[in-house]
Each structure stands twice: as C-alpha cells, then as structure tokens.
Amino acid sequence: MTQLIDKRDLEYDRLARVQGAEAFLAETDRVAESVHHALIADDSKVNRFTGHLTELRVDGAPAGLADRAGAAAADGDYIARAKEYLSSVSGAIGFAAGEPVEFEADPKVTTTSGGMHVVSLQQTLNGIDVWGMAPKVWLREDGTVDRVVGDTASVPSNVPTMPVVPVETALAVGAAKAAEPIRIEGPFGTDELPVLDISDGFGRLSSQARNDQPMTFEAGAFDEAIPGRLVYFYMGDDVRLVWSFRFSRANGAVQYHALVEADERTADASAPQVLYLQDLTNHVVGGLVVRQNPAETEPALASFPLPLTDYPVKLPPTPLPGFPGPWATQRNGHVATVGNNVRAVDADTGKSFQVDVDAAGNGVFAPNPDTAEQRVTNIFFVCNYMHDFFMMLDFTEEHGNFQTVNFSGLGRGADPVVALAHPRPVFGTANMLTRADGLAAEMNMGLVARTNRHTAMDVDVLRHEFTHGVTNRLVGGLHDANGLREEQSVAMGEGWSDYFALTIRNFFREREHTVVGEWVVDRPGGFRQRPYDDSYPGDFGDIGKATGGLDYTKIHNVGEIWCAALLEMTRRISAELGSKQRGYRVAWQAVVDGLKLTPKNPSFLTARGAILRALKDLKGTAFTEAEYPEVRKAAWGSFARYGMGFDAFCPNASFTGCRAGSGLPPAGHED
C-alpha cells in the first residue's frame, strides 16, 4: 500500500481539547449507573484523534436474547441487540448528549470458534457513512454484550447533506490524481507506472435517487467501473462531506481510494481538493507443483485436492457442507486449473492449463518446467491449499471465504480467487485485490526482473498474498472487505501474511525457518530487514522511527514487528503446552478468531486485545482450564517482549506517538 495524500491532522488530540481523561472516565461511570451494570473503560484505549473509546468492556449486562433460550437466534436478533446496546452506552464511548448516534450493520454476523457472535457496524448520519468509523460488538450466545471495540467519532447534527461539488467534477479531480505516474519501492525493486490518459472521461452507469446512495461510472481508461458515493470524513477538528471513489489500474497494480471535497467549505466548486488518496492494493514488499520453494525441492506430483492428513490443522468436529470439495471440475473429457475456489490462468492468453482425463476420470497436470503452464499450476495448487487450510480454521462460507458456489447457502458465493500468472514483471511484482463478499478476489503474480525468478513459484509469496484476502475479509467485514486502511492496520496486514507464510512452512520442519522470499529475490536474508528469529530487534516503540540501521517508517517494515510478536507467541504457547503441534494450532485459531473480533482500522494494541480474548474463549476446547493461565501468560509475555505490554500506548492507529510497554496485566485483569 502507498499512502499518497492525507489531509487529516492525526496529531490532533480531541480528548484533551474536549474533556480530558478524568472527565471521560467519570462519564463512563455515570452511564454505567444508568444501565445498571458495570462498564470498564481505560483511558489508554481512547483514540486521541477522535476522543472516543476504542474498547468498552461490559460486565453484568442482561442476556438480551434470553427469551430465545433453546431456539436459534437469527443474525437479525444479534444485530438489533448490538445497535440497541451501543445506543444505550454511547455516552461512555465518547458521544456527548444530543450528538447523533446512528449505525447500520453488516447483515452477516460472524461467529468465532469460541462461540462469540460479532456484529460489524458502520457509523452513519443522514444515511451517509462516516468514513473509517466501524466498530464491532461482541455478544455471547444468549445476547449478552461482552464488549464494544473499534472507532467512532462525534459528528455534528448540522453537517451538510447536499454536495455543492457535482459528482462528475469530483470524479475528474480524483481520476486525474489516480492517473498520475507512480513509483513504488518494494522488496522486489522499484516499479514505475506511467501517466494514464483519461481525456475520454467517464459515463454514468447508474443513477442516484438520493445523495446517500452509491452510483457507478464507466471504467474509461481504468481497469474497472468506478464506484462513487458521498461519505463524511472526520479530520480532527472538522468533519467534511466528500465524494468517495475507487480507481483500479494495470492488472491490480494499484487500487486507489480517493476522497474529494463536496461541501460548501470547498473554496472552488469547479476545482475541489483531494483530501485523501490511498492505494488499497496489498503488495509484497494432482499436478507437478513446488510444495515448498525451488531452493528446497523440485516440482513433484501432488493430488488435487490434497488428503486432509497433509494439512497441519484438523478438520472441525462439525462437518462443513461440501468440504472437502474437488479443486478442479471435469468437463468433456478435460480437467483444467479452474474450480470452485480458484481460477488460475495465464495473464496474456486468459487461458487455464487444461489436460485430458483417462477412462477412469483421472487427469494429471504435468507441465514442462519454466513454462506458463507450470506457473499457472503452481498458483492453482497453493491457492486451493490455502483455501482449505483457512476453511479448517473457520474461515468458511458464512465468513466470506472465496468460492464460486457456497454449499451451505451462507455468504454470497460467486467470488473465487482469480489468479493470474504474468509472463513478465508486473507493477508491484505480486499483489492481491480483495473485494466484498460476492465479488471475486484477484491475485497477480509476476517476474522479478533482477533475478528472473517468478513469484508464482515462490510458495512464501503465494501464501503471503492469499492471507491478505483472509485478513481483509475478516477485519474489513463482508460488506466491503476494506478494514485495513490506517498505517498500523496496513502494517499488520503484512505481518499477518508473513506469519502464516512462515508458520505453515515450519509446522512440519524440525528447524524453524525465519526468512521470507529468499528464493525469489535470490538473497539468503529474504526481503525483510532481519530474520524472524527470537532475537528480532524491533518493538512497538520503534514505530515511526529509523534508527540503528532499521527503518520503521515504512509499512512493510512495521509489519515485521507484528509478525515477530505472533511468531514469539506461537513459540511460547508451544513450549507451555509441551507440543509444537498443539501450540501452532492454538495460535493459528486464536489469530483467526482474533481477526473476526478485530474492528476496522485497528492499532496493534487493539488487535492484540482481540487475540488475547480469542485465547480465553478457546479455554476448554483447544486446551484445558488448568492450562489456560500459562497459555495466557505466554501470549502476554510475547506481546510484552515486542513492546506491546499492558502499559503500551498509542493515541490512534497512525505511526505517531507509539509508546512501548513491557508490563504484564495486574492480577485479576480480564482479557
């Protein structure tokens, strides 16, 4: 991701200007009295930029769905309970009396393997989204609210609802910025995308009955049709009405999100300013397949699909509809690299790799080395492997996984991973575009020009990119899969991806592997600053700084700190449980469940809290009650080792103001 324009003042401290921490906590106590149960707030968990609490813990709330005991509550019941509860405690979160408190919900409620129901909300006003303000409410099976997490903001009731800037004018300004040449420095080298000719303009594809409704414009010189809508943009001491657009370029090389002035504050309605421009794309900074990397193994025959015993995770106790399903579909005596989960093709021809089947219906993808067919086969294999791996960790159809047909009837389907193997370098070298549930994800793999090695043949890179799709969907929510936009959030996306790439590789290895992508860049140290061993040097307090030969001002580098902490947690849990297999499985499940609990645009500390709570909910299933205290201690110790202890602090999810802490929680503290 490349951050290009951001007019917000992220050092703005609304908490200090409006009331201060002491008054804030006093208001929380007052609200607790009015709702007749305990509300637990911590001033270190206030987003200083918005002045609102990012985590409100609840103790003793009534069971909102107790009257449905013995009957399955529908998603709508949990949504109604979440919205009602959030409204009742809005003052404890930071809303002042009389301020609008309006939210719309993602219609799909996510459930963790520990049984927590997670309602994803979007703050709105006048039917218009408040950009970036999307909390989650955690509820137990009976509807008891456990906590509210994520960002909200105070928006005045008198903000404008009608734009003074015509949408076509704003679109032209945003498109001009998105069409500019761009240079991105990444782990594979530097890429430059030339200027795009947009002189032909953009015709409207859909009409807009009301201001709050989305609309769509023709792609023009861009790769995809351009969605546009009005949103409110919280900037600190100001809230602006803006036009929001998304522009896609060059095989998923970049996908810009642009916010352009729309209200009467615009100095010149014929020439509005771009207030925010960000690249949303995640870049990496039976057949003959490479199951590790070419440096370790030659292409070897593997069954499509693999037997479940080949996976490091176990099949859930409750059968999953249609799982495990075939990877490739047989038609007219042929089988191709196209199936329910993945559609892998050569980017130049748009063709899959197809082979004949014998009389028994068997077909073998046996491509020649160093060919387009080999690259397509490898992408197809690894993406299907990752689909099944995460499926067994409960990234299922109801949670927005990538499938053409959803056999459970949950989720939207029609969204496999479309994986493209390019015969030449592509912008960013490797990327993954994740769209909302029901819209196909797109993976692009290209050649590393410096080494003449292809990312489609590097299993680390493929696993890394696929994981971006998982984290974008689980944190972002099914509605837009776009919940990792702030600096710390995007960095964690890179860290989660490195974490799964390495731990899947290490589960079956006696000696831990600690570098990523060493084959494709032909460098023993891979494409990160330091190996991910237990002496990795950076910590949370280094974020935003460049010191000692390490640069933590860049997204990928900051992501290393998050990955290092997760790896340390996995090692320590494994040691406490006395089993590498159990430790890895517990850590993986806690991380995936934690993603479901994590609100949009989280800080490291918010995501840390979600993982710790996910571990608590695994008590009695993944490990015993007696083992839990030591597992919890191992997790807290790992985060503390990397500066994310109980006393760590950050004012928001930017790279500004991160303060390391190595303390453990006090006795009696509940995660």
Side-chain angles (χ1 to χ4, degrees):
M1 171 206 134
T2 304
Q3 185 80 50
L4 301 174
I5 299 172
D6 191 345
K7 299 289 187 179
R8 294 175 297 172
D9 177 10
L10 289 171
E11 295 188 11
Y12 177 81
D13 190 340
R14 185 175 187 274
L15 180 66
R17 296 194 183 194
V18 173
Q19 55 181 332
E22 187 174 335
F24 189 103
L25 298 177
E27 179 63 14
T28 301
D29 292 340
R30 186 196 66 77
V31 175
E33 290 181 10
S34 71
V35 296
H36 308 296
H37 57 261
L39 300 175
I40 305 165
D42 182 341
D43 62 0
S44 70
K45 293 183 178 178
V46 176
N47 183 328
R48 310 289 294 207
F49 176 59
T50 65
H52 281 212
L53 201 63
T54 60
E55 178 180 289
L56 178 68
R57 301 185 180 211
V58 181
D59 186 15
L65 301 176
D67 59 329
R68 299 182 182 274
D75 282 359
D77 298 318
Y78 290 105
I79 289 170
R81 172 63 177 152
K83 292 170 72 173
E84 172 193 41
Y85 187 82
L86 183 53
S87 179
S88 72
V89 299
S90 60
I93 293 171
F95 289 96
E99 287 182 342
V101 183
E102 299 176 13
F103 292 90
E104 292 300 326
D106 189 316
K108 181 60 199 171
V109 176
T110 300
T111 306
T112 71
S113 63
M116 192 72 76
H117 295 260
V118 184
V119 176
S120 299
L121 299 172
Q122 169 63 57
Q123 186 177 348
T124 64
L125 182 60
N126 307 314
I128 298 172
D129 287 357
V130 181
W131 185 86
M133 304 303 159
K136 289 184 177 181
V137 181
W138 305 355
L139 305 100
R140 302 187 190 115
E141 189 73 29
D142 63 1
T144 300
V145 175
D146 183 274
R147 72 188 65 179
V148 180
V149 296
D151 284 324
T152 56
S154 292
V155 180
S157 59
N158 61 350
V159 289
T161 59
M162 298 293 293
V164 300
V165 176
V167 64
E168 289 82 3
T169 301
L171 173 62
V173 170
K177 277 293 180 187
E180 289 179 355
I182 183 173
R183 175 189 177 101
I184 289 183
E185 295 181 4
F188 302 114
T190 300
D191 287 305
E192 297 189 13
L193 202 63
V195 66
L196 199 63
D197 181 4
I198 59 170
S199 57
D200 289 342
F202 311 94
R204 190 182 290 215
L205 295 176
S206 64
S207 60
Q208 182 192 35
R210 300 194 317 268
N211 285 330
D212 58 307
Q213 291 182 331
M215 65 193 77
T216 308
F217 294 86
E218 292 176 349
F222 293 97
D223 278 14
E224 297 179 352
I226 302 165
R229 65 182 308 178
L230 285 171
V231 299
Y232 290 120
F233 187 38
Y234 177 86
M235 301 184 68
D237 60 352
D238 197 8
V239 178
R240 301 290 302 274
L241 180 68
V242 298
W243 287 110
S244 169
F245 304 103
R246 189 176 67 240
F247 303 97
S248 300
R249 290 190 63 174
N251 300 312
V254 287
Q255 188 179 70
Y256 291 117
H257 184 196
L259 300 179
V260 184
E261 291 180 305
D263 57 23
E264 70 276 1
R265 298 272 310 280
T266 307
D268 182 354
S270 66
Q273 287 191 62
V274 176
L275 300 180
Y276 183 89
L277 184 72
Q278 181 190 69
D279 175 13
L280 301 178
T281 308
N282 295 118
H283 301 281
V284 173
V285 193
L288 290 170
V289 297
V290 177
R291 297 185 63 168
Q292 290 300 328
N293 277 330
E296 298 182 58
T297 180
E298 294 293 325
L301 193 64
S303 62
F304 288 19
L306 285 174
L308 295 181
T309 53
D310 277 20
Y311 289 87
V313 285
K314 292 183 177 180
L315 189 66
T318 303
L320 301 169
F323 182 81
W327 287 359
T329 304
Q330 188 183 138
R331 288 190 178 91
N332 302 320
H334 305 289
V335 66
T337 54
V338 175
N340 197 49
N341 314 322
V342 182
R343 181 175 179 266
V345 300
D346 176 78
D348 270 11
T349 65
K351 293 181 178 180
S352 60
F353 181 30
Q354 180 175 287
V355 297
D356 295 334
V357 298
D358 59 24
N362 299 313
V364 176
F365 298 102
N368 292 320
D370 300 322
T371 61
E373 289 83 4
Q374 178 65 80
R375 294 188 286 271
V376 167
T377 302
N378 221 59
I379 289 179
F380 185 71
F381 171 80
V382 176
C383 286
N384 273 292
Y385 177 99
M386 295 298 284
H387 169 276
D388 289 359
F389 170 83
F390 280 112
M391 188 87 163
M392 288 188 276
L393 286 172
D394 204 35
F395 179 51
T396 59
E397 296 165 358
E398 68 172 310
H399 300 116
N401 73 349
F402 304 105
Q403 292 183 179
T404 303
V405 176
N406 287 356
F407 299 100
S408 67
L410 303 172
R412 294 189 177 182
D415 57 355
V417 172
V418 178
L420 299 137
H422 296 262
R424 63 187 65 82
V426 295
F427 190 78
T429 309
N431 62 63
M432 177 79 164
L433 286 176
T434 315
R435 301 178 177 93
D437 190 27
L439 299 173
E442 181 179 311
M443 177 184 286
N444 290 277
M445 291 288 150
L447 192 70
V448 177
R450 183 180 62 81
T451 64
N452 202 37
R453 293 179 175 181
H454 205 286
T455 54
M457 300 303 295
D458 192 306
V459 180
D460 288 346
V461 177
L462 290 166
R463 287 172 176 165
H464 176 106
E465 292 301 333
F466 190 98
T467 302
H468 276 305
V470 178
T471 55
N472 286 336
R473 281 271 173 97
L474 288 180
V475 176
L478 306 189
H479 179 64
D480 64 5
N482 186 17
L484 299 172
R485 291 181 293 211
E486 300 292 2
E487 289 175 314
Q488 289 187 45
S489 313
V490 182
M492 280 191 291
E494 300 300 333
W496 277 310
S497 287
D498 277 4
Y499 169 73
F500 279 106
L502 284 171
T503 50
I504 293 171
R505 187 176 184 178
N506 283 330
F507 184 86
F508 296 109
R509 296 172 62 100
E510 183 175 343
R511 184 177 178 182
E512 185 181 44
H513 194 80
T514 58
V515 299
V516 182
E518 69 276 14
W519 176 80
V520 77
V521 296
D522 194 18
R523 190 163 59 233
F527 49 58
R528 299 297 181 229
Q529 295 184 102
R530 294 286 191 277
Y532 284 122
D533 54 29
D534 56 9
S535 61
Y536 181 85
D539 70 21
F540 186 69
D542 294 324
I543 292 177
K545 304 171 185 174
T547 181
L550 298 170
D551 183 358
Y552 291 112
T553 64
K554 298 179 179 179
I555 292 292
H556 285 81
N557 296 355
V558 174
E560 294 175 20
I561 297 171
W562 183 245
C563 178
L566 296 182
L567 289 169
E568 183 69 9
M569 180 185 75
T570 305
R571 296 183 193 110
R572 293 195 187 195
I573 291 176
S574 298
E576 290 299 337
L577 295 176
S579 166
K580 178 180 177 180
Q581 290 186 344
R582 287 188 68 202
Y584 271 57
R585 288 167 179 163
V586 165
W588 281 333
Q589 193 64 68
V591 170
V592 171
D593 283 352
L595 288 166
K596 296 175 185 177
L597 296 172
T598 302
K600 288 187 176 184
N601 304 315
S603 69
F604 277 38
L605 304 183
T606 300
R608 175 206 67 187
I611 291 173
L612 289 162
R613 179 48 193 258
L615 274 175
K616 181 180 179 181
D617 288 340
L618 291 172
K619 181 172 53 178
T621 55
F623 43 80
T624 67
E625 292 268 356
E627 290 173 323
Y628 172 64
E630 295 306 314
V631 169
R632 177 179 182 265
K633 182 179 178 182
W636 264 113
S638 302
F639 287 116
R641 155 70 177 82
Y642 286 98
M644 289 173 267
F646 187 74
D647 51 338
F649 171 79
C650 57
N652 47 56
S654 72
F655 286 173
T656 303
C658 296
R659 187 178 70 225
S662 59
L664 299 179
H669 172 78
E670 289 291 326
D671 294 325

